[in-house]
Amino acid sequence: MRKVIPIVFLLLYSLPLWAQRQAERPYWYSLERGKQLFRNGDYGNALIALQDARQDRRDMYTRMKADIITLLSIPEVRRMGDSLELIEPYIVERYHVNAAAALEEVYYRVSKAAINGSANRVLEELDRLKVFPEAEYWIGETYRMEGELGLALEQYKKAHEQRAFLENPALDTDILYKIVELLKIKQEYSEMEARAREILTQDSLYSGSTTTLIAMARILTESGINRFLTLYRHHNTATERAYQLLGLYYYDTEAPRPEGYAADRLSPAAEHLMIAFLNQNTILIQELIRRQYNYTFSTLDALITDAYHNPVLVAYMADYEYFKTIYYFAAALYADGKPVLGRRLWTLLSLHPEAGEWSKRSANQLRSPFMDKP
């Protein structure tokens, strides 16, 4: 029986010939160069390098597809039909190095199992692989820094549409946040809300059963803030800012409860800000426990005081607008017919001068409550 050499060994055996093709500028090199130029503030040359990266990748997969088509056009191969089981031994025996390289690339990017032995499927995948979402994203970043917000938004959207091909899938959340940010600036609020909700689909509280949210709202309203924070912990880094953004948006627009919204749940504004509030306090509690193994949460007042002895948490509270979240959570609760809870949070903030403007605003609310638009 004739022994078939695997394609990867053919590539190694024929390395000089194959390396000649690979010596051309790789797309990832152009991408990294563009990112470095961007970080150095050289946006014009960064844009050129990033556009080159996008074209380099397209050219590479276009060549690979042409190599496979050339192979499949050989009369002897055409008689093998769509079967890679028959075609692969032929590639090895006849030393079709470029076709072998194309196959190995597809197997690496897509997986051999997904190709299911189909030569036509290889051609389809090589077409799909021409997109380069990382390059589209960084081109968007460059446009944004140059003030071309419309062009930047289109680039971010293109990168999001191509998210299935991201080397790092987590980058898609950053892309969505950039889309949300620019839609907010452009005052396209309906689409901004839809994109923010798309971010929240990554969170179990949002995409799962409403039972937990109903229970959380009940504990909050019946037992108060401290009991709520004693019983519940929840943190999702990817969705934290989206909850805050939507909570502020719903408070600003006084969004009513959607149809089918359970009567014993909080208003959309209060509910989203409740989860943002829980996210942020969970981070504070977990970090304090990490630094002091026997740390136990007692009250929100004590938590804020303890957190302010930790420079890392002080920086976190500033970056994530911790006190702003509490202030507007109180405002949303007050507007939702829960004035006692709202006033308790305002009272707490008014007694913490480290809350800055949110301490002063809370004192004003206690004197004469009003709708304070974000």
Side-chain angles (χ1 to χ4, degrees), residues 25-300:
R25 179 182 56 198
Y27 66 83
W28 54 263
Y29 174 83
S30 299
L31 176 69
E32 292 305 317
R33 181 170 177 272
K35 288 160 65 174
Q36 186 60 49
L37 289 165
F38 174 88
R39 292 176 181 126
N40 290 340
D42 188 355
Y43 303 123
N45 284 321
L47 182 60
I48 293 170
L50 293 165
Q51 289 172 333
D52 284 346
R54 180 174 60 186
Q55 189 60 47
D56 291 344
R57 175 159 169 147
R58 173 171 288 276
D59 290 347
M60 186 186 86
Y61 285 112
T62 298
R63 286 195 305 270
M64 287 185 170
K65 182 179 179 182
D67 291 334
I68 295 293
I69 290 174
T70 298
L71 172 76
L72 297 177
S73 301
I74 297 171
E76 194 174 351
V77 177
R78 289 175 63 183
R79 289 194 290 272
M80 298 176 187
D82 190 40
S83 175
L84 286 175
E85 185 178 359
L86 299 176
I87 294 171
E88 283 191 20
Y90 181 89
I91 291 174
V92 175
E93 291 169 357
R94 302 301 176 91
Y95 295 97
H96 287 278
V97 179
N98 291 332
L103 264 184
E104 286 299 318
E105 176 70 12
V106 172
Y107 289 161
Y108 173 72
R109 298 289 175 187
V110 182
S111 88
K112 190 168 185 175
I115 297 303
N116 198 28
S118 168
N120 285 323
R121 179 67 187 276
V122 169
L123 294 175
E124 292 170 4
E125 293 299 335
L126 285 169
D127 261 337
R128 294 176 69 232
L129 285 166
K130 291 176 184 177
V131 300
F132 197 5
E134 281 87 356
E136 304 293 0
Y137 167 73
W138 283 100
I139 290 170
E141 288 284 86
T142 305
Y143 281 139
R144 181 175 62 86
M145 293 303 296
E146 292 188 323
E148 299 285 354
L149 300 188
L151 292 175
L153 181 59
E154 290 307 309
Q155 285 299 132
Y156 293 144
K157 287 181 177 180
K158 189 181 296 185
H160 177 58
E161 289 167 3
Q162 299 173 3
R163 60 191 178 278
F165 298 95
L166 284 167
E167 294 283 340
N168 175 16
L171 179 61
D172 187 45
T173 301
D174 293 335
I175 294 169
L176 278 171
Y177 272 113
K178 293 293 174 64
I179 291 172
V180 167
E181 176 188 345
L182 292 189
L183 288 170
K184 183 179 180 182
I185 291 172
K186 292 169 68 66
Q187 300 181 346
E188 296 178 18
Y189 297 122
S190 180
E191 187 179 356
M192 180 201 76
E193 178 189 0
R195 296 291 188 165
R197 285 186 170 278
E198 193 172 344
I199 295 171
L200 293 189
T201 58
Q202 302 174 49
D203 188 71
S204 58
L205 276 179
Y206 181 85
S207 58
S209 168
T210 60
T211 304
T212 301
L213 287 172
I214 292 171
M216 291 169 69
R218 186 177 298 120
I219 290 294
L220 180 69
T221 54
E222 293 178 1
S223 303
I225 296 291
N226 292 329
R227 181 63 175 163
F228 170 76
L229 289 176
T230 299
L231 290 178
Y232 293 105
R233 296 283 185 275
H234 183 76
H235 182 242
N236 186 322
T237 305
T239 59
E240 187 170 347
R241 291 189 187 277
Y243 276 117
Q244 185 197 55
L245 181 145
L246 282 174
L248 294 175
Y249 171 66
Y250 292 143
Y251 176 77
D252 190 27
T253 56
E254 300 178 59
R257 285 183 174 83
E259 185 178 349
Y261 209 77
D264 51 357
R265 286 170 65 179
L266 303 171
S267 72
E271 183 171 285
H272 284 76
L273 287 167
M274 175 186 73
I275 300 173
F277 171 79
L278 179 59
N279 262 313
Q280 293 176 2
N281 283 293
T282 296
I283 281 290
L284 301 187
I285 293 167
Q286 288 177 341
E287 177 61 17
L288 289 169
I289 290 173
R290 191 183 70 81
R291 290 174 174 265
Q292 181 183 334
Y293 78 95
N294 60 346
Y295 179 85
T296 303
F297 171 81
S298 56
T299 66
L300 181 59

Side-chain angles (χ1 to χ4, degrees), residues 5-20:
I5 305 172
I7 287 177
V8 68
F9 290 124
L10 170 60
L11 292 176
L12 291 173
Y13 181 80
S14 307
L15 189 58
L17 176 62
W18 182 60
Q20 188 177 351

Side-chain angles (χ1 to χ4, degrees), residues 294-339:
N294 60 346
Y295 179 85
T296 303
F297 171 81
S298 56
T299 66
L300 181 59
D301 183 35
L303 177 63
I304 292 173
T305 300
D306 293 338
Y308 249 76
H309 289 110
N310 183 328
V312 173
L313 291 181
V314 171
Y316 168 81
M317 294 161 85
D319 288 345
Y320 282 80
E321 300 180 304
Y322 174 77
F323 293 116
K324 180 179 180 179
T325 300
I326 296 178
Y327 175 84
Y328 278 109
F329 182 32
L333 288 168
Y334 196 98
D336 193 43
K338 299 168 181 64

